[in-house]
Every structure is written in structure tokens, then in C-alpha cells.
Amino acid sequence: MAAGEVVVVGGTSGLGLRLAQTFAGRGTKVLITGRDAARTEQVASEIGGDTRAAALDLAEPAGIGDALADVGEVAHVVLAAIERDSNSVREFDLAGALRLATLKLVGYTEVLHALCERMHDDSSVLLFGGLAKDRPYPGSTTVTSVNGAVTTMVRTFAIELAPVRVNAIHPGIVGDTPYWEGNDAMLDAVKARTPTGRLVKTEDVVGASLFLLENPAVNGVNLPLDGGWIMM
Ligand SMILES: NC(=O)c1ccc[n+]([C@@H]2O[C@H](COP(=O)([O-])OP(=O)(O)OC[C@H]3O[C@@H](n4cnc5c(N)ncnc54)[C@H](OP(=O)(O)O)[C@@H]3O)[C@@H](O)[C@H]2O)c1
């Protein structure tokens, strides 16, 4: 285990929350972030162990450095936050597009800018993209664009932050995440189109994330995690 704290940006819900719980359960010091201070504190106390909270909005990146000012040595940074945006070229919502593009492109980068001097040779970074980059759907224009950009961000970060390792995970649809709750028709359709005959689960994403964060030879990788859905 690399020395220092694990910072999970977007750690109040879904995949980020489960990763924060996993590290906290191992006795690791964890910092989770969300947008609202009281809610993030509440989630951190529910996670328990040595978990603390910071509030920041990645779509307002000027405040990120101050929000992370008291972080010490950093073992791993997980960038899992998403503010979903339903958008198309024909009916383009400029405000939503600007927030999501800022969040993933500028916000993710600013977090690493703020923390890079506190990382060390064994530190690593994990970005979350998604397979909307390869399989667009109606309304995915901004999501597809930013998740496509994650693939290139990984490469430039891995070079610029070396020897810190930087990887990304690109899930398909993770069936047991809060976002998909109650959307059974969609989940059934994805399952039917997945060669493994099962939906990707949060625990699958956690296993792959730990591999990307902790294996010292894995660097500059964009890992799809979809049970083969993208091939069908
Ligand atoms: N779930 C899936 O099926 C799936 C599929 C493909 C890719 N992904 C990717 O996996 C990652 C995690 O997805 P998820 O479904 O687990 O997410 P989620 O449950 O929707 O959680 C999103 C997290 O992002 C935080 N957040 C939202 N807007 C933010 C902002 N403006 N600034 C900072 N933090 C913000 C939220 O915190 P607060 O609400 O507390 O502020 C929350 O912790 C995302 O990057 C997503 O694109 C997920």
C-alpha cells in the first residue's frame, strides 16, 4: 500500500463511495469530496474509519485548490465525479455542457494540479470515463465528448506526472449504481446485449480500480469494463 491518504473526488455516491468504503475498510486514511459540505460530512461519518470530507464543485475549479489545501501526503487520487448532462447538437443546452465539460476536463486536471506536489513515486491516479465515448446515445453529446477526452488526458497526465501512474476505467452500464435504479427496461436491454449475460456490478468496478491503482506496472491504460457489451 502506497503511503498517504486516498482522495476520492465524487466519493459521496455510487462507484466513488464504494471505493472510499473499500479503502476505509482496510484502515486507510480517506478524503471524500462532494458539492455540499454537510452532506459530504454525513457520508464520511457513515463510511467511518479514518474518513474525512471536503466540499468542492469541479465545475467551479477556482475553488478546488483551497478545498484541498489541508491534504497531506497522497497515496491515490480517484476522480469519479460526474454531473450528468443530457445534450444534443440540435438542442444544445450551453449551461449544462459548460458545467460537464468544465467538471471533467478542467476540474479533474485542477485536482491533480493542486495535489501533484503531495504525490510520491508510488502514488497513482484513476480517472473515470465511460463507454458512451464509443457508443453514443441520443442526448450523450457532452458525455461522449468528455469521456473520449479522458482517454487522452490519461496519456498526457501519465507523461507529465511520471513516475506517478495514471490510468482510467471506462465502465459500460453498472447495473447496481444509484443512477440506474428503477430503469429495468434499459438494464434488461443491456444484459441481453452483453456476451457474459450479466450486468457489470459495482464490485467488478472496485476490483478493476484496485488493480489499476495498485499494480506498479500498469500505466497509461484506458480499461473498458463492460462484459463485452461494446462488441455486440
Ligand atoms: N454508473 C454507471 O453506470 C457509469 C457508467 C459509465 C461511466 N460511469 C462513470 O463513473 C463515475 C461514477 O459514476 P456514478 O454513477 O457512480 O456516479 P454518481 O453515483 O452519480 O455520483 C456522482 C458523484 O459526483 C459528485 N459530483 C456531482 N457533481 C459534482 C460537481 N459539480 N463537482 C464535484 N463533484 C460532483 C457527486 O457528489 P454530490 O452529489 O454529493 O455533490 C457524487 O459523489 C462517473 O465519472 C461516471 O461518468 C458510471
Side-chain angles (χ1 to χ4, degrees), residues 105-141:
L105 306 191
V106 183
Y108 277 22
T109 309
E110 175 60 11
V111 169
L112 298 181
H113 165 72
L115 294 179
C116 61
E117 295 303 325
R118 289 166 259 177
M119 295 187 209
H120 52 80
D121 290 5
D122 297 324
S123 301
S124 67
V125 175
L126 179 66
L127 283 73
F128 273 78
L131 287 182
K133 75 182 175 64
D134 298 319
R135 180 169 282 163
Y137 53 85
S140 78
T141 281

Side-chain angles (χ1 to χ4, degrees), residues 12-13 15 35 57-58 80 82-84 104 129 172 174 177 180:
T12 60
S13 171
L15 303 172
R35 287 164 294 184
D57 184 342
L58 289 177
I82 178 80
E83 190 173 306
R84 289 181 174 84
K104 278 220 179 182
V174 186
T177 47
W180 294 108

Side-chain angles (χ1 to χ4, degrees), residues 8-17 33-36 39-40 43 56-60 79-84 99 103-104 108 127-132 143 147 169-180 202 205:
V8 183
V9 175
T12 60
S13 171
L15 303 172
L17 172 58
T33 82
R35 287 164 294 184
D36 179 77
R39 174 175 140 74
T40 311
V43 175
L56 57 82
D57 184 342
L58 289 177
E60 304 283 343
L79 294 161
I82 178 80
E83 190 173 306
R84 289 181 174 84
R99 280 195 66 83
L103 182 155
K104 278 220 179 182
Y108 277 22
L127 283 73
F128 273 78
L131 287 182
V143 174
N147 286 340
I169 190 160
H170 296 271
I173 282 166
V174 186
D176 59 350
T177 47
Y179 182 69
W180 294 108
T202 298
V205 178

Side-chain angles (χ1 to χ4, degrees), residues 1-10 16 19-20 22-24 26-33 52 68 71-80 111-112 115-116 118-128 161 163-167 206 208-218:
M1 176 71 203
E5 194 165 11
V6 175
V7 178
V8 183
V9 175
L19 268 167
T22 303
F23 279 110
R26 292 171 163 190
T28 305
K29 191 174 174 188
V30 177
L31 174 75
I32 61 163
T33 82
R52 63 195 186 97
L68 298 174
V71 176
E73 188 178 35
V74 173
H76 306 299
V77 180
V78 176
L79 294 161
V111 169
L112 298 181
L115 294 179
C116 61
R118 289 166 259 177
M119 295 187 209
H120 52 80
D121 290 5
D122 297 324
S123 301
S124 67
V125 175
L126 179 66
L127 283 73
F128 273 78
L161 296 178
V164 171
R165 295 179 301 101
V166 183
N167 297 291
V206 169
S209 299
L210 294 176
F211 164 69
L212 293 170
L213 284 166
E214 295 183 340
N215 188 303
V218 180

